[in-house]
Amino acid sequence: MRAVRCPAPGGPEAMVIQRLPLPAPAAGQVLIKVHVAGVNRPDISQRRGTYPVPPDANPTLGLEVAGTVEAVGDGLGLKPGQRVCSLVHGGGYADYAIAEADQIIALPDEIDFITAAALPEVAMTVEYNLVERAALKRHEWVLIHGGSSGIGSHAIQRAKAMGAKVAVTAGSDEKCAYCQTLGADVAINYRSVDFVEGISEATRGRGVDVVLDMVGGDYIDRNLKAMAADGRCAIISLQGGRKISADLEPLLRRRLTLVGSTLRPLSKAEKARIAKLVSHDVLPLVANNHIRSSVGKTFPLEKVEAAHRLLESGATMGKIVLTVV
């Protein structure tokens, strides 16, 4: 089978398509014939050599796939030919990938493979951080940074489906307009408007109840300023840097909460639990078009270098996926 690997850290050109033996699923695992694979920023970090890949992970790039069940390990109820999507512990950029059976999300006929391939990473990230850890509630204000990204595109729609009021930041007027088509109530071009001032104006000085932050760095101090009393900030990435200098006085005076997480280090059991939440709470919203596809661009597997270059450029809106079949 074909598989995309990176023999040495480097730019997009460092990736090569190799021919590897077909993997066999162990007990509790499923072999998926990959139709579409999602492209995520951790893939870029892995390629660059800056992401701590677990020692038991498949070195082939790719963290999420959609396709059909090819083979199953012992004692599993899944059947060959069944349409599924799933997180994978590496190995997604390939013709076939191994997934843990209890992390499999079975697909209804209404959801195509391109839509499905963009779901596991974003939907599980948003469900775990925005819905669970930050505990967003109906009628609350949420600020979503990177609103036009794959995660941002999904998070806007998930928050609106919960009855929340949504503000986003994005890097151009075009991206802000895109976010508003997804349901954002307020879209702030961070290149021309200070988002702290924009949030104050939108909420009449109150601030937001929840922040979903994929930037980190100096955004943390500004997030604290933009949050209402008892506000919660969920940090899911550090694209703006891991070091911060922040005034913590608002944290104390307004009883603010900062939490952070990333999916990959979570236990298999925890990932399985979150996958079940997505299957139960999110999949029906996608099947009924209450949450639209967040895919902005597709590339064939052979064009994986171009896919990475586009994601790194920040010029895309929505998720990037690789078509394999």
Side-chain angles (χ1 to χ4, degrees), residues 82-107:
Q82 189 170 352
R83 300 173 70 254
V84 298
C85 67
S86 183
L87 283 183
V88 291
H89 201 38
Y93 294 8
D95 289 317
Y96 295 87
I98 294 288
E100 299 297 323
D102 55 7
Q103 294 175 30
I104 291 286
I105 298 172
L107 295 174

Side-chain angles (χ1 to χ4, degrees), residues 207-274:
V208 295
D209 302 283
V210 171
V211 179
L212 185 66
D213 180 31
M214 58 188 75
V215 181
D218 64 3
Y219 266 42
I220 303 303
D221 183 61
R222 297 163 70 191
N223 289 337
L224 297 177
K225 291 180 171 66
M227 292 163 69
D230 298 306
R232 294 88 66 197
C233 176
I235 305 164
I236 59 172
S237 186
L238 301 171
Q239 295 175 30
R242 63 178 64 186
K243 304 286 187 180
I244 70 168
S245 175
D247 177 4
L248 296 180
E249 188 272 341
L251 191 76
L252 304 179
R253 179 169 52 84
R254 298 206 299 276
R255 304 172 303 281
L256 307 180
T257 301
L258 295 177
V259 296
S261 77
T262 184
L263 284 181
R264 199 165 197 180
L266 295 179
S267 68
K268 292 180 181 179
E270 186 69 346
K271 290 177 185 176
R273 184 187 68 80
I274 301 167

Side-chain angles (χ1 to χ4, degrees), residues 81-146:
Q82 189 170 352
R83 300 173 70 254
V84 298
C85 67
S86 183
L87 283 183
V88 291
H89 201 38
Y93 294 8
D95 289 317
Y96 295 87
I98 294 288
E100 299 297 323
D102 55 7
Q103 294 175 30
I104 291 286
I105 298 172
L107 295 174
D109 292 340
E110 295 87 348
I111 301 178
D112 60 77
F113 286 132
I114 287 178
T115 298
L119 274 177
E121 184 79 11
V122 298
M124 291 175 68
T125 295
V126 169
E127 212 64 16
Y128 184 54
N129 290 279
L130 187 68
V131 180
E132 279 204 331
R133 305 197 78 208
L136 179 65
K137 300 178 182 65
R138 184 176 178 83
H139 300 311
E140 286 190 323
W141 271 102
V142 57
L143 169 60
I144 299 167
H145 291 303

Side-chain angles (χ1 to χ4, degrees), residues 157-226:
Q157 299 178 83
R158 181 67 177 112
K160 293 302 292 184
M162 297 174 66
K165 292 170 285 189
V166 177
V168 301
T169 61
S172 71
D173 291 342
E174 181 186 12
K175 289 182 177 181
C176 286
Y178 165 77
C179 293
Q180 289 176 310
T181 68
L182 298 177
D185 299 283
V186 175
I188 301 168
N189 183 343
Y190 65 79
R191 299 186 190 278
S192 57
V193 177
D194 181 345
F195 75 77
V196 177
E197 294 178 3
I199 290 300
S200 179
E201 180 180 348
T203 63
R204 299 181 180 179
R206 179 181 176 275
V208 295
D209 302 283
V210 171
V211 179
L212 185 66
D213 180 31
M214 58 188 75
V215 181
D218 64 3
Y219 266 42
I220 303 303
D221 183 61
R222 297 163 70 191
N223 289 337
L224 297 177
K225 291 180 171 66

